[in-house]
Amino acid sequence: MAPSALSLPTSVSDEKYANVKWEELGFGFCRTDNMYVAKCKHGESFQEGKIVPYADLHISPCSAVLNYGQGLYEGLKAYRTEDGRIVLFRPDQNALRLQSGANRLCMPYPTVDQFVSAVKQVVLANKKWIPPPGRGTLYIRPILFGSGPILGSLPVPEYTFTVFACPVGRYHKDNAGLNLKIEDKFRRAFPSGTGGVKSITNYSPVWITLAEAKAQGFSDVLFLDAATGKNVEELFASNVFIVKGNVVSTPEISGTILPGVTRKSVIELTGDFGYKVEERVVPVEDLLDAEEVFCTGTAAIVTTIASVTFKEKKTEFQTGDKTLAAKLFATLTDIQMGRVEDKKGWIVELTDATKPGLKL
């Protein structure tokens, strides 16, 4: 859906870039100018929302999200290409994943067109915050949650869909590769739970393990399955891949692993490179026997894993410019940054609605 009100708010400056030290940009919150808000009553469908100045949301202390954790979020990026275009990467896939999660958490949801339109509006309303080419990206965070008050049983009287954005740099800045700890006590997700959707309840319960790992000098945590404790699943916020010869394996989507958009894209690119790709159960032993290991995600992109430590034993893997991870990173970012032709149809180009050539 392409709403009629896609021109930028009058409060948005024509200045090309915000006053940001791009070379110091990390992966963290940075307040920008505008956000999108839409609301939906119980039994109704989401209608077109609006762009408003970035501000705190007013919410009932008895809201479903605060009391029962009824909420989802998505994450995607906008890129400024070297020839001056602003593009998104597969936003429809994030919309579909949000819908899947909303069904799981008993919430209404925006249509794919509404989702993508909201993302586009937020990007254009904050375009001066999109970093220069090669200096970062604009990270976009859509959130869907139960905002109405509820105490006890359903229905929730109101839902809110909001989207904000902030400029970010690399999530993992260690180009030498990550050093992971395999967590053998705590579990990230459970069968028939919410590990396969981006529920807001999936993350803080395992912050304790991530904090402990980082205090021990590790980059991140790799979690095992809850059913057996013998198979690898994913990192805190990334999918994992292993390489052995010409075979690339990644844990299959079984309800406890998030179906990452980058994961899906990497599987396709890896097949294009001539590798055999397997989505399967991956025992810890297979990981430890791999030649190369890497992780994928919107934030992580494609990041080499240099080592894992399991039960105090460290295992190292191939790193460097000749790895599959390096090739995938270069190929994926070339597509995202418009340096090569997008033959997959993954890129969605944006044009300022106040100027000729609108592509929204």
Side-chain angles (χ1 to χ4, degrees):
M1 179 178 66
S4 57
L6 277 179
S7 58
L8 299 181
T10 56
S11 60
V12 178
S13 170
D14 288 332
E15 177 186 357
K16 185 172 183 180
Y17 290 116
N19 184 21
V20 175
K21 294 181 179 179
W22 303 112
E23 66 279 2
E24 298 177 6
L25 197 60
F27 197 96
F29 175 73
C30 175
R31 185 187 178 111
T32 53
D33 296 323
N34 299 283
M35 65 185 193
Y36 176 97
V37 179
K39 293 184 180 292
C40 172
K41 298 296 184 182
H42 171 67
E44 299 178 358
S45 299
F46 275 100
Q47 302 301 312
E48 182 61 34
K50 60 182 179 179
I51 293 290
V52 298
Y54 184 93
D56 293 344
L57 296 170
H58 295 280
I59 189 169
S60 168
C62 200
S63 63
V65 65
L66 292 181
N67 288 264
Y68 300 104
Q70 189 188 39
L72 297 160
Y73 78 84
E74 276 296 326
L76 64 161
K77 293 176 178 177
Y79 308 81
R80 193 185 296 271
T81 67
E82 293 173 359
D83 59 1
R85 294 175 295 133
I86 297 172
V87 301
L88 301 170
F89 182 74
R90 309 190 77 175
D92 60 309
Q93 298 298 305
N94 295 92
L96 292 170
R97 189 169 64 182
L98 182 87
Q99 291 183 353
S100 175
N103 281 327
R104 179 65 180 84
L105 298 188
C106 200
M107 292 191 288
Y109 49 78
T111 67
V112 171
D113 285 346
Q114 286 172 330
F115 178 100
V116 175
S117 173
V119 168
K120 289 177 176 179
Q121 292 180 63
V122 168
V123 172
L124 291 177
N126 295 289
K127 65 177 183 177
K128 72 179 184 181
W129 295 93
I130 306 173
R135 307 290 288 277
T137 56
L138 186 72
Y139 183 81
I140 307 154
R141 175 59 64 86
I143 311 172
L144 175 65
F145 60 95
S147 50
I150 178 174
L151 193 63
S153 61
L154 295 169
V156 177
E158 180 191 74
Y159 297 89
T160 297
F161 175 58
T162 187
V163 185
F164 70 90
C166 57
V168 297
R170 288 288 302 272
Y171 183 69
H172 294 297
K173 292 192 174 183
D174 189 351
N175 293 328
L178 305 182
N179 297 298
L180 305 185
K181 176 184 178 181
I182 297 181
E183 174 57 50
D184 60 350
K185 295 180 181 178
F186 290 92
R187 302 290 183 256
R188 175 193 169 274
F190 299 85
S192 301
T194 59
V197 300
K198 284 189 77 70
S199 171
I200 62 173
T201 58
N202 289 347
Y203 298 90
S204 61
V206 290
W207 271 350
I208 185 172
T209 61
L210 183 62
E212 289 175 352
K214 286 184 176 291
Q216 296 167 359
F218 295 103
S219 311
D220 208 327
V221 175
L222 180 59
F223 292 95
L224 302 178
D225 72 304
T228 70
K230 297 179 180 179
N231 306 309
V232 299
E233 291 212 321
E234 60 182 298
L235 284 71
F236 174 74
S238 306
N239 296 116
V240 67
F241 289 76
I242 67 173
V243 184
K244 180 76 171 182
N246 197 51
V247 179
V248 178
S249 303
T250 189
E252 63 185 352
I253 301 300
S254 58
T256 58
I257 295 172
L258 189 71
V261 177
T262 308
R263 173 189 182 275
K264 183 176 181 179
S265 306
V266 162
I267 287 173
E268 187 169 336
L269 291 174
T270 301
D272 293 345
F273 293 161
Y275 287 84
K276 178 183 178 183
V277 183
E278 296 180 342
E279 297 180 70
R280 62 176 177 87
V281 173
V282 179
V284 174
E285 292 77 13
D286 287 8
L287 172 80
L288 300 178
D289 190 47
E291 298 162 356
E292 180 187 349
V293 182
F294 59 88
C295 63
T296 65
T298 298
I301 314 174
V302 181
T303 302
T304 294
I305 295 172
S307 73
V308 299
T309 297
F310 182 51
K311 297 184 182 298
E312 308 298 327
K313 182 180 179 180
K314 183 176 181 179
T315 302
E316 297 182 337
F317 308 103
Q318 295 175 2
T319 61
D321 295 339
K322 303 298 183 181
T323 59
L324 174 59
K327 185 176 181 180
L328 285 166
F329 177 85
T331 302
L332 190 61
T333 54
D334 279 349
I335 294 172
Q336 292 169 336
M337 295 301 298
R339 291 188 289 260
V340 299
E341 180 185 358
D342 171 27
K343 298 180 180 180
K344 303 285 189 182
W346 290 345
I347 295 300
V348 175
E349 183 176 343
L350 281 70
T351 305
D352 189 337
T354 63
K355 300 177 181 179
L358 176 64
K359 296 188 178 182
L360 296 176

